[in-house]
Amino acid sequence: MSDATLSPELLRRLPKAELHCHLDGSVRPATLLELGREQGKEMPAGDAASLADYMRVDDARNLEDYLARFDVTLSVMQSEAALERIAYELVEDAATDGVRYIEIRYAPPLNTRAGLSLGAAVEAPLRGIRRAEAEHGTIARLIVCSLRHWTPDVSLELAQLAVAYRRDGVVGFDLAGGEAGQPASRHARAFEHARSHDMACTCHAGEGAGAESVREAVHACGANRLGHATRLIEDESLLEYVNDRRIALELCLTSNVQTRATATYETHPIRSYFDRGCNVVLNTDNRLMSGTTLTDEYVVAAHRLGFDFDELATIALNGFESAFLPWEDRMRLLAEASAEIETLRSEVVGA
């Protein structure tokens, strides 16, 4: 099947799972403007199209530059109503994008600047994703993040927060933020708390620092999945270890080009990872800052990196299999997605 056959519409219809998507990086521009007006917060542009252009980060020199745009979205994400709405709309957008399951991550302390409690900052987006799931069918869960520049005590508190909501829709604990000079091992106690309470863990690593950052995520933090892992390719032994243990790689193509984790789409290691049999999953990272959808990321993989339909179907199924859901739920989603994929395959072959 040629890549010309892999139209955006076909790849939109491909049943997909997204495991790495940030709530505060995936706000609709029109919603940003409306919330800004309601809350008296000035936005850097006055209409949705111009704001979308401003928020897309194509001029970053590094990861830290990319992260600076989040100040804009977070300025209006300080109330329960705003958090519930933004979470609802993200799941609604994912459903339109052919996403059957999505894990949404964020750092709740960033939403408490106007007095919200941490509990309220979790419960509000949970309400939003439950409502969206009921109305649109896409299953959604939350991942609680800490940030590398916060103290280990804050990370431990957030791991405890994640565990407290483990039965209510929070399925994982994560560490995000600038990597350079801020080792994940400082936060090992938080990961240990999450794991010892049967909470799945992921960790951003190998995006803003080298393979040694991935090594810490794997061995010091015990991560079940790896966010980005773009520079894992630099450590052959660790790559073998990660592959042998089927640790999922949450890959974000457009975001990695924007943050200079890779020079171009074509130099991204996703093809090398996939060809070696790694557990590769495609994700958007931040739909707003990267100006992308999950369908767009699959289109890039097809047309810039030479992935064919069967390979993209494998990546899609990897997402369901690597979800932080109970095994029975994953098996059900896998079976449903596999049946849809077979229908799509027969359509394309018969065309």
Side-chain angles (χ1 to χ4, degrees), residues 67-278:
L67 295 175
R69 288 290 204 285
F70 286 80
D71 291 341
V72 177
T73 54
L74 286 168
S75 71
V76 298
M77 295 178 68
Q78 303 301 321
S79 72
E80 292 186 56
L83 286 169
E84 181 176 343
R85 174 182 177 176
I86 289 165
Y88 172 88
E89 290 179 349
L90 174 50
V91 179
E92 184 176 51
D93 291 343
T96 302
D97 196 21
V99 177
R100 304 289 190 268
Y101 174 76
I102 183 169
E103 291 174 3
I104 301 167
R105 62 185 70 194
Y106 73 121
L110 297 177
N111 307 108
T112 62
R113 295 168 181 170
L116 276 187
S117 68
L118 285 175
V122 172
E123 291 163 12
L126 282 174
R127 288 194 297 272
I129 66 173
R130 289 188 195 114
R131 184 160 55 90
E133 181 176 333
E135 294 180 15
H136 300 287
T138 292
I139 299 169
R141 299 291 185 267
L142 295 183
I143 294 175
V144 169
C145 297
S146 186
L147 299 179
R148 286 173 180 258
H149 67 273
W150 289 344
T151 66
D153 286 344
V154 170
S155 291
L156 178 58
E157 181 182 9
L158 291 171
Q160 292 166 340
L161 180 72
V163 168
Y165 285 91
R166 190 169 74 88
R167 301 293 184 187
D168 299 308
V170 174
V171 294
F173 174 71
D174 178 31
L175 183 67
E179 286 177 69
Q182 299 180 119
S185 56
R186 291 181 61 237
H187 306 271
R189 192 159 55 110
F191 281 95
E192 193 280 331
H193 179 85
R195 295 194 319 272
S196 68
H197 288 81
D198 308 319
M199 171 66 67
C201 296
T202 182
C203 186
H204 286 65
E207 178 192 21
E212 72 283 353
S213 178
V214 185
R215 181 170 287 278
E216 285 210 345
V218 171
H219 293 303
C221 301
N224 305 106
R225 298 195 318 234
L226 295 167
H228 300 286
T230 319
R231 295 180 63 182
L232 170 62
I233 195 80
E234 298 168 4
D235 188 328
E236 176 65 25
S237 177
L238 183 62
L239 177 55
E240 289 177 0
Y241 180 91
V242 166
N243 191 16
D244 290 346
R245 281 146 193 86
R246 314 310 301 145
I247 296 173
L249 307 181
E250 306 163 354
L251 302 182
C252 310
L253 301 176
T254 298
S255 170
N256 284 171
V257 173
Q258 290 174 304
T259 63
R260 309 297 187 251
T262 187
T264 65
Y265 287 120
E266 289 77 10
T267 58
H268 196 284
I270 183 173
R271 170 52 76 180
S272 295
Y273 291 153
F274 184 88
D275 289 347
R276 292 184 61 149
C278 291

Side-chain angles (χ1 to χ4, degrees), residues 32 44 50-57 69 72-73 288-290:
L32 262 183
S50 298
L51 186 56
D53 287 342
Y54 174 86
M55 293 301 295
R56 181 183 168 99
V57 187
R69 288 290 204 285
V72 177
T73 54
L288 177 62
M289 282 70 168
S290 290

